[in-house]
Amino acid sequence: MEIAALIVAAGRGTRAGADLPKQWRRVAGATVAQHSVAAFRGHPRVTRCLLVIHPDDEALARKIEGVELVHGGATRDASVRAGLEALTGHAPDQVLIHDVARPMVSADVINGVIDALVTSPGAAPALPVTDALWHGADGVVTGTQSREGLFRAQTPQGFHFEPILAAHRAYTGGAADDVEVARMAGLDVAITMGDENNLKITTPGDFARADRLIRDKAKELAMDIRMGNGFDVHAFEDGDHVILCGVRIPHDRALKGHSDADVGMHALTDAIYGALAEGDIGQHFPPSDPQWKGAESHIFLRHAVELVASHGFRLSNADVTLICEHPKIGPHADAMRAELAKIMGLDVDRVSVKATTSERLGFTGRSEGIASLASATLIKD
Ligand code: MG
C-alpha cells in the first residue's frame, strides 16, 4: 500500500504576525513546516512525502530532508492540484492532504484517516462543535444557531488517489478544503476522530501554544522509565554468619545457597533484570553451573548493572526490604546501602535498605530463613 502525504505550504499568510509566512517561522526549535513534515515522515504507514511550496520559499524548503518539493499555484486548490499532478508518475493508492499550519498532527489522527479509507473513498478528522453558536453583526448577537450535527474540520484529509485527482481536475475553484472538492465529485467522506491539539496556527498566540505543546510532547516521548521488582528466599542452615546486601553479619545460623546466599542482593539483581525484561538471575547464572558455587553475589549485581547501560538506561534508584526476625538489620542498614551504592555506581541517597519482621508468622516468623523484596527504577538516557 503506497500512501503519500501532500503537505500544502504555498500560502503567503502572515496573519500570525512577523513578515515571514507562518509555515517558515520557528516554533519549538524548528520551522512549522519542518514539524508538519516530520509528523508524516516519522509515520510508519506513510511511504512518500511531498511539500507544495511557493517558488520564493525554495531555499527555506530545501533545508528539510526527506521531502519532495513542488511549486504550488495562486490558490489553495491550485496548489493541491499541482501536488496531485506531481504524484501521478508513481501514483500512490491513497493521498493524505494536510495543511502545513497544523504541525502537531498526531500519529493517532493520521491512523484514523488511513483506517477509514479501507471502507470509504474519503476520510477526514473533525471534532464536534461544543460551544454555543451565534450570529452577530456590529458587535451584537442577532441570532443563535444550533450546533447539532456541526463539526470543526481538521487535516489530513485522506482520499483514494485516482478519484480525488479526477475531482480536482474537474473542480473550478474556491473550495475551503479538499472534502468540499471530493463531495462536489460525489465522493463520500467519513468523519474520523480529530484532536484538540491538532491546532491550526492562525494567530500570534497560537505560536506560544504550539511551542508549549510540541516541547511537552517531545519530553513525553523522550521519557522512558522502567520499573522492576524481585523476590528471593534462602533457608537457614548451620553456620556463624550471614551475608546480606554485601555486608557480613555475625549470626548463629548461615543462609543456605549455591552462591553466598545474599538474599537481598539477589532480589535486587532480579528487580533490575525485571525492569529490563531480561529474565532472572537463574537464567544468567544457572545454579547447575559449578563456576557459580560459592560465588560472591556482587558478580550478579554488577552484571545486571552492566546490562542496564548496554540497553541505554541508567539506574535511578533501588529499594530493598529484608524480612526476618533475626539478625537485626537496623544497625547494618547504612553499611548495606553504601555497599550496594558502590556496586551500582549510585549515590547512596538513591539506595534504600529497610527491614521488617513477619510478626512471627510463617517461615520467616519461625526463623527458618530470610526473604527479601526489591524494586529498581531505570531511566532511558
Ligand atoms: Mg537467591
Side-chain angles (χ1 to χ4, degrees), residues 232-234 263 266:
D232 196 26
V233 172
H234 282 262
V263 62
H266 293 181

Side-chain angles (χ1 to χ4, degrees), residues 258-282:
H258 190 71
S259 64
D260 64 5
D262 188 335
V263 62
M265 212 179 286
H266 293 181
L268 176 55
T269 304
D270 267 354
I272 297 171
Y273 287 137
L276 292 169
E278 274 281 356
D280 59 34
I281 209 166

Side-chain angles (χ1 to χ4, degrees), residues 105-171:
V105 60
S106 69
D108 284 348
V109 166
I110 296 171
N111 277 327
V113 173
I114 295 173
D115 289 343
L117 289 177
V118 173
T119 52
S120 176
L127 290 169
V129 171
T130 53
D131 293 329
L133 294 176
W134 299 335
H135 295 277
D138 301 325
V140 176
V141 177
T142 57
T144 55
Q145 167 76 49
S146 166
R147 64 191 169 213
E148 184 68 27
L150 291 182
F151 288 84
R152 291 182 287 144
Q154 299 188 340
T155 69
Q157 299 182 349
F159 306 93
H160 293 190
F161 181 71
E162 294 297 343
I164 193 65
L165 175 64
H168 264 279
R169 282 176 175 169
Y171 195 72

Side-chain angles (χ1 to χ4, degrees), residues 11 13 22 28 48 123 156 205 242 275 292 339:
K22 60 188 176 184
R48 192 171 167 191
V242 293
W292 308 123
E339 185 62 21

Side-chain angles (χ1 to χ4, degrees), residues 62-253:
R62 290 225 169 273
K63 292 181 186 159
I64 308 178
E65 285 175 18
V67 67
E68 300 163 54
L69 302 180
V70 179
H71 289 174
T75 63
R76 189 184 180 284
D77 297 341
S79 291
V80 174
R81 168 89 186 267
L84 292 171
E85 296 291 353
L87 286 169
T88 52
H90 302 279
D93 302 292
Q94 299 174 357
V95 60
L96 307 175
I97 304 172
H98 186 67
D99 283 338
V100 71
R102 294 187 189 271
M104 287 162 301
V105 60
S106 69
D108 284 348
V109 166
I110 296 171
N111 277 327
V113 173
I114 295 173
D115 289 343
L117 289 177
V118 173
T119 52
S120 176
L127 290 169
V129 171
T130 53
D131 293 329
L133 294 176
W134 299 335
H135 295 277
D138 301 325
V140 176
V141 177
T142 57
T144 55
Q145 167 76 49
S146 166
R147 64 191 169 213
E148 184 68 27
L150 291 182
F151 288 84
R152 291 182 287 144
Q154 299 188 340
T155 69
Q157 299 182 349
F159 306 93
H160 293 190
F161 181 71
E162 294 297 343
I164 193 65
L165 175 64
H168 264 279
R169 282 176 175 169
Y171 195 72
T172 47
D177 63 10
D178 302 288
V179 166
E180 188 175 333
V181 176
R183 293 194 70 254
M184 287 294 284
L187 302 175
D188 281 340
V189 179
I191 300 173
T192 64
M193 187 58 79
D195 177 0
E196 209 56 67
N197 287 344
N198 188 14
L199 165 79
K200 183 172 185 176
I201 295 180
T202 311
T203 66
D206 292 338
F207 275 93
R209 189 174 157 206
D211 191 272
R212 197 174 57 246
L213 287 168
I214 292 170
R215 286 183 197 280
D216 284 353
K217 193 169 171 205
K219 263 190 235 157
E220 216 173 87
L221 288 174
M223 188 88 68
D224 189 348
I225 296 173
R226 308 285 174 95
M227 136 122 226
N229 69 71
F231 177 70
D232 196 26
V233 172
H234 282 262
F236 281 126
E237 63 179 5
D238 290 343
D240 61 4
H241 71 278
V242 293
I243 293 175
L244 293 173
C245 297
V247 174
R248 184 187 165 105
I249 303 172
H251 191 49
D252 56 6
R253 318 283 330 258

